[in-house]
Amino acid sequence: FMQVFLDIIDRDCNRFEKTIITDRQEEIVRQVRSTAPSAVRTEPVPGSMTSIFSGSFRSVLMCDTCGFKRPSMESFLNVSLAIGKGATTSRKTYNDDNMNTRKRGQKMDVRTCLDHFSDPEPLGDEVHCDWCRAKTKTRKQQTFAKLPTVLCLHLKRFDAVTNKKITEHISFPSELNMGPYVPHWREVDQVEVMEGQIKEDTTGTTPTILYDLVCTIDHSGTLNQGHYVSNVKVDDNWYSCNDAEVYQLSEDSAEKHILKSENVYMLFYIRRK
């Protein structure tokens, strides 16, 4: 859906850009494009809307027996994060018995969801290992090799298995640091794979790659029916967009009100310069 939506915007922008774009709009486009990360990236089509949301995962298959790694790159436009029972994580170990534990009453946070997303997870079927020359138990881990200008996080609130909406409150920050999720700091090494332990890296400080919250989309209702409302930040002011009704939120309480939302469904963060 995201790809189709951005393609439609691209097509419309290209059709009318020469006749309606103003000098101010050109300056905004240049500023947005100038924030694109220069390190560890593959260039998308220049000038497209897709290029603003485009990022890449480093996806690694790891043999449980010998620790042999098989990396590959996967592009993305948005990141779908499991919530509820599907978003448990353990930073001390990723042995199967500990992957589904979470303290009762512990609140779920977007950063916890990102921890879970980037944790190694066991695959259901054995995979052929070139080093062992046999099918072995294998784990897969995804980290962020290239971070986009605009990071779109999608919370998986709709559970097709139970045919219900997950209503658990998910807290999220106005400032998000994606530095801990790049491969050098997040990816486990071969020794850790074989021992089944995740060790914290104490050899240095993780990089700081800051993102600022600029938009949220809330969903109220059930799995089968509901209503979407978006909140957008423009020039430090928050606006609520509810169908045809658009109004500015109070400056004093706007961000606090948005951060307390219990219906958040999608989050948009822009990379800080």
Side-chain angles (χ1 to χ4, degrees):
F1 171 80
M2 191 74 169
Q3 181 67 69
V4 174
F5 177 67
L6 292 176
D7 285 345
I8 293 173
I9 294 178
D10 266 336
R11 183 186 61 197
D12 291 343
C13 287
N14 291 332
R15 181 184 303 168
F16 297 107
E17 182 176 12
K18 293 182 179 180
T19 58
I20 67 172
I21 194 166
T22 64
D23 292 339
R24 174 57 179 162
Q25 289 170 327
E26 287 181 341
E27 178 61 24
I28 292 174
V29 171
R30 283 195 295 270
Q31 289 178 1
V32 171
R33 290 174 184 168
S34 68
T35 61
S38 57
V40 289
R41 70 174 181 178
T42 55
E43 293 290 346
V45 179
S48 66
M49 286 296 296
T50 301
S51 66
I52 298 174
F53 292 87
S54 178
S56 298
F57 297 127
R58 174 178 160 89
S59 181
V60 180
L61 295 179
M62 299 171 285
C63 173
D64 270 10
T65 302
C66 69
F68 180 70
K69 290 185 176 183
R70 285 149 287 177
S72 63
M73 300 293 289
E74 299 177 8
S75 61
F76 69 87
L77 294 175
N78 63 281
V79 183
S80 293
L81 301 176
I83 61 176
K85 295 181 179 179
T88 54
T89 185
S90 174
R91 295 298 291 130
K92 294 182 179 180
T93 176
Y94 58 82
N95 284 324
D96 296 339
D97 292 340
N98 296 310
M99 281 297 291
N100 294 317
T101 58
R102 181 155 63 101
K103 294 180 180 180
R104 180 175 296 179
Q106 179 182 349
K107 293 183 178 180
M108 182 63 67
D109 183 272
V110 161
R111 286 162 292 202
T112 306
C113 298
L114 285 167
D115 286 345
H116 168 75
F117 179 86
S118 57
D119 271 346
E121 61 175 349
L123 299 180
D125 298 324
E126 293 186 347
V127 178
H128 180 80
C129 174
D130 294 336
W131 187 264
C132 296
R133 296 183 179 181
K135 286 187 175 183
T136 61
K137 291 184 178 180
T138 303
R139 298 178 188 269
K140 180 179 179 179
Q141 184 179 21
Q142 287 185 312
T143 53
F144 292 84
K146 176 229 164 182
L147 287 162
T149 303
V150 177
L151 177 66
C152 175
L153 302 179
H154 161 238
L155 304 182
K156 299 167 71 173
R157 288 197 176 276
F158 303 129
D159 190 339
V161 177
T162 61
N163 199 33
K164 293 181 179 180
K165 176 185 174 182
I166 301 174
T167 58
E168 182 171 353
H169 173 64
I170 309 297
S171 61
F172 52 96
S174 59
E175 177 185 281
L176 180 64
N177 182 17
M178 291 298 293
Y181 304 105
V182 298
H184 177 74
W185 298 98
R186 187 64 181 176
E187 189 174 302
V188 299
D189 61 28
Q190 291 178 323
V191 175
E192 292 170 353
V193 173
M194 297 173 68
E195 293 180 353
Q197 298 293 320
I198 293 180
K199 303 180 182 66
E200 298 291 346
D201 193 325
T202 58
T203 59
T205 304
T206 57
T208 299
I209 306 175
L210 295 179
Y211 279 78
D212 295 308
L213 183 69
V214 291
C215 178
T216 67
I217 297 178
D218 294 345
H219 176 271
S220 58
T222 65
L223 177 68
N224 301 313
Q225 61 181 1
H227 182 66
Y228 293 93
V229 174
S230 62
N231 301 289
V232 184
K233 190 176 185 180
V234 180
D235 294 332
D236 294 327
N237 295 314
W238 280 97
Y239 296 85
S240 178
C241 306
N242 187 350
D243 291 338
E245 183 181 359
V246 179
Y247 59 91
Q248 183 177 347
L249 300 175
S250 171
E251 294 184 7
D252 297 333
S253 60
E255 193 159 286
K256 291 182 180 180
H257 170 75
I258 291 169
L259 294 177
K260 290 182 179 180
S261 172
E262 297 185 356
N263 297 311
V264 64
Y265 179 61
M266 297 186 75
L267 300 163
F268 295 83
Y269 289 88
I270 189 168
R271 184 164 179 166
R272 189 180 299 178
K273 293 183 179 180

